[in-house]
Amino acid sequence: MKAYPYWWDTVPSIWTGQSEPGLRPGAPYLEPIGHRRFDVIIVGAGYTGLSAARQLARSGASVAVLDRGQVGSGASSRNAGQVLTGLKLDVGTLVSTYGEARARELFEISREAIASLERVVADEPIRCEFERTGHLQAAAKPSHLVAFRKEQALLARVFSHQVSIVEARDQSAELGARGYHGLLVDEHSAAINPAKYVHGLAGAATRAGAAILEHTAVSRMTQTSNGWTVATARGDLEARDVLVATNGYTDEAAPALQRRLIPIGSYIICTAPLPDSFAAQLLPRRRMAFDSRHFLHYFRLTADSRLLFGGRAEFSGPTLESARRATNILQRAMLATFPDLASTPIEYAWSGHVAFTRDQMPHAGRLDDAFFAGGYCGHGIAMATYLGGLIARRIAGERFEHPLFDDHFPPIPLYHGRPWFLPLVGLYYRFRDWID
Ligand SMILES: Cc1cc2nc3c(=O)[nH]c(=O)nc-3n(C[C@H](O)[C@H](O)[C@H](O)COP(=O)(O)OP(=O)(O)OC[C@H]3O[C@@H](n4cnc5c(N)ncnc54)[C@H](O)[C@@H]3O)c2cc1C
């Protein structure tokens, strides 16, 4: 079994150094540091940082994107590639928390985020298997199908967003799985190959003029009289502004953001390719799929018809031992859902960090004068692309309000970056799954 994301084997440049169009062949992103002062330094080469870099470089700013690893080595090449409508909070909770008008605005932002990703992919263009496959949510209990019907009505009434319900008896047209009691289907969601996308975005940012420096860890950012000094593994750099785009991988270099984002491990396994006829029985319309539990499982087919199956299997990690435990837990869950996969080998297993916020909403803005965007709570492919572009416009000097801009993002009480409370949260949600 390979202990790295399946997606990495679909992007030749990760292993061979073969470059994106517009980059120097042989060493795609290891730009030499020709000068040491930039208009903007961005820490983190995932969707947030690269989308911001593309936008800023297009507006004429000199931009450097620094990453301690490679392009996309955080969550942006490790995720499940499900580009979903909506936010982490379900629409009922959005309405009860924010009221109908604000909830409508927030939900619309999630749809606009997908549209903005689709535009970037088409304009560059980026070949990343983007396709509006739609998604399905599977009811883990009969009562959850009742909740889906209420959600369908609320989505239509408040959000003018149409979804359909599939009764359990008709489910096999959408899903060949055991243990579910009907489905909610949303045609607006999409599939993507996350690693191809993040590498395409890096190519786009570079073509626009941004420098990308891999293997350049930032250890400290200090404000000076004319901007910032950024201490890196390759020496100090200077900038007028900094953008912290480190999300679930935020470390001591950005202590203020670290106190506001909770990294939670998410784990994925991926089978060997399945014969097309077999794959067509599991997910006949190749939709993105997840279930209705708090401790949920998500799954999809890849372009070469592997089943990718993931979930928040562990709350203790990340260690080798917890990764092994998570792989076993996921394999058992996958076989309970798809028993016919019993003799199909698992070829890949990996994990990554999802960044949660206390209110389970994304945030962007300024903390101690450094710009930031993050906290996507597992819904970051489109939202990071969108908020990265938006915060870049603000850095470039545009003045505008946005519901997700928050310069007063409060720290989480009793939390300094080590999420000691996660095992307790895990127990709480297991209990909720049992009673809800
Ligand atoms: C297993 C998994 C499954 C997921 N599935 C989905 C999904 O299906 N759909 C969806 O919408 N979202 C999903 N997500 C979430 C999504 O991947 C993220 O929200 C998104 O990738 C965040 O992008 P980002 O650019 O903000 O952060 P990242 O891609 O995590 O990038 C942050 C970068 O910062 C760098 N960094 C951190 N500290 C420093 C430092 N001091 N110096 C230099 N560099 C530093 C890291 O190396 C990293 O590359 C999933 C996440 C995981 C982990």
Side-chain angles (χ1 to χ4, degrees):
M1 196 187 308
K2 298 174 182 174
Y4 60 82
Y6 151 73
W7 308 113
W8 293 7
D9 277 344
T10 70
V11 181
S13 60
I14 289 182
W15 302 124
T16 63
Q18 183 191 319
S19 64
E20 282 288 324
L23 301 174
R24 284 181 302 113
Y29 308 117
L30 273 173
E31 290 276 341
I33 307 180
H35 51 296
R36 295 194 164 264
R37 184 164 177 91
F38 297 86
D39 291 330
V40 186
I41 286 182
I42 297 174
V43 189
Y47 308 135
T48 305
L50 294 168
S51 171
R54 172 179 176 268
Q55 174 79 28
L56 280 161
R58 284 176 147 207
S59 70
S62 65
V63 186
V65 186
L66 319 183
D67 201 288
R68 78 156 92 89
Q70 287 173 267
V71 160
S73 59
S76 294
S77 69
R78 300 173 170 273
N79 61 65
Q82 303 196 347
V83 186
L84 306 174
T85 53
L87 298 148
K88 175 64 188 167
L89 294 178
D90 62 71
V91 284
T93 311
L94 276 183
V95 169
S96 60
T97 309
Y98 298 100
E100 286 190 4
R102 186 69 157 186
R104 195 178 300 119
E105 220 178 336
L106 292 168
F107 189 83
E108 191 47 40
I109 287 169
S110 82
R111 297 191 351 154
E112 172 52 26
I114 301 180
S116 73
L117 183 155
E118 193 168 23
R119 278 195 298 274
V120 171
V121 165
D123 288 352
E124 286 299 335
I126 299 174
R127 287 186 299 276
C128 55
E129 298 154 23
F130 179 86
E131 193 189 340
R132 292 263 189 177
T133 54
H135 83 246
L136 64 84
Q137 188 177 9
K141 296 181 182 177
S143 61
H144 295 183
L145 187 63
V146 178
F148 284 177
R149 288 206 184 87
K150 285 192 188 144
E151 188 175 332
Q152 181 190 35
L154 188 67
L155 277 165
R157 183 178 68 77
V158 177
F159 303 92
S160 307
H161 185 79
Q162 309 304 323
V163 296
S164 51
I165 299 292
V166 179
E167 300 295 332
R169 62 176 178 276
D170 304 322
Q171 201 168 275
S172 59
E174 288 280 357
L175 177 63
R178 274 214 192 137
Y180 295 124
H181 304 271
L183 311 171
L184 181 147
V185 174
D186 184 333
E187 301 279 352
H188 304 84
S189 296
I192 206 165
N193 175 323
K196 285 189 176 177
Y197 176 50
V198 74
H199 279 261
L201 208 49
T206 313
R207 285 193 296 279
I212 300 178
L213 283 72
E214 296 182 310
H215 308 293
T216 308
V218 171
S219 53
R220 208 173 52 255
M221 290 173 272
T222 317
Q223 227 172 342
T224 60
S225 53
N226 64 343
W228 293 83
T229 298
V230 177
T232 84
R234 301 199 202 182
D236 288 358
L237 301 176
E238 293 187 345
R240 186 195 66 216
D241 286 304
V242 294
L243 167 62
V244 185
T246 48
N247 205 41
Y249 292 79
T250 304
D251 62 11
E252 294 74 19
L257 194 59
Q258 206 183 16
R259 293 191 59 200
R260 289 153 172 90
L261 298 180
I262 307 163
I264 298 188
S266 193
Y267 297 82
I268 295 182
I269 55 177
C270 186
T271 67
L274 308 172
D276 282 345
S277 57
F278 184 18
Q281 286 167 27
L282 306 186
L283 282 161
R285 301 198 173 143
R286 302 183 85 86
R287 295 203 200 276
M288 305 296 95
F290 56 95
D291 69 37
S292 58
R293 294 184 185 90
H294 294 290
F295 236 106
L296 60 83
H297 292 125
Y298 49 84
F299 42 92
R300 60 167 291 181
L301 292 169
T302 61
D304 58 353
S305 293
R306 299 165 186 271
L307 187 82
L308 181 154
F309 192 94
R312 210 146 289 135
E314 263 280 334
F315 268 104
S316 57
T319 61
L320 268 183
E321 185 46 40
S322 70
R324 249 193 304 274
R325 255 196 326 262
T327 302
N328 291 336
I329 291 170
L330 281 182
Q331 190 165 10
R332 277 200 301 277
M334 185 186 78
L335 292 181
T337 313
F338 299 106
D340 294 345
L341 287 173
S343 57
T344 305
I346 304 294
E347 291 197 343
Y348 297 85
W350 71 93
S351 67
H353 302 181
V354 174
F356 271 75
T357 52
R358 198 172 173 208
D359 60 3
Q360 299 191 44
M361 291 294 289
H363 293 256
R366 252 182 141 160
L367 279 175
D368 299 341
D369 287 333
F371 290 95
F372 75 95
Y376 309 112
C377 305
H379 285 241
I381 303 175
M383 193 57 80
T385 305
Y386 172 81
L387 269 191
L390 221 56
I391 198 72
R393 285 173 45 200
R394 198 174 153 196
I395 295 171
E398 269 186 64
R399 293 193 182 281
F400 60 99
E401 295 294 317
H402 188 276
L404 297 178
F405 279 177
D406 182 4
D407 290 346
H408 306 284
F409 185 22
I412 299 166
L414 303 177
Y415 174 64
H416 293 89
R418 197 183 62 80
W420 52 270
F421 41 79
L422 283 187
L424 300 174
V425 175
L427 280 176
Y428 169 73
Y429 280 115
R430 278 190 202 288
F431 177 67
R432 288 278 307 271
D433 275 334
W434 184 58
I435 58 167
D436 279 356

